[in-house]
Amino acid sequence: MAIISMVLGIAGALCGILGMLTMLGALPTFIPLEEAIGPYVATTAFWWGLAGLMLLGSIAISVTQRRTPYD
């Protein structure tokens, strides 16, 4: 379970970094919502939302791990 938590945490951090790079314009956008709010905003919101979900999943898994009193 610790490995799953670590993988989700790292993936969440990478999604957050991808969102920042998209926001700065270093990465191309892939969500075509130009008429609504703009492609950069939509793609950045997607990456940050995915990062938030993965980081929350990582926290939930790490909190619910069973521990013995002798750990």
Side-chain angles (χ1 to χ4, degrees):
M1 291 297 272
I3 294 173
I4 295 172
S5 176
M6 182 180 66
V7 167
L8 281 176
I10 291 171
L14 287 175
C15 286
I17 291 170
L18 286 173
M20 287 182 206
L21 290 175
T22 303
M23 177 183 64
L24 295 173
L27 293 177
T29 62
F30 59 88
I31 299 176
L33 291 176
E34 295 176 11
E35 57 275 346
I37 56 174
Y40 287 105
V41 176
T43 306
T44 302
F46 167 77
W47 283 119
W48 284 350
L50 190 61
L53 286 174
M54 287 189 185
L55 290 173
L56 284 175
S58 171
I59 292 168
I61 289 173
S62 66
V63 167
T64 60
Q65 288 181 1
R66 293 186 181 193
R67 299 191 194 277
T68 62
Y70 302 108
D71 281 346

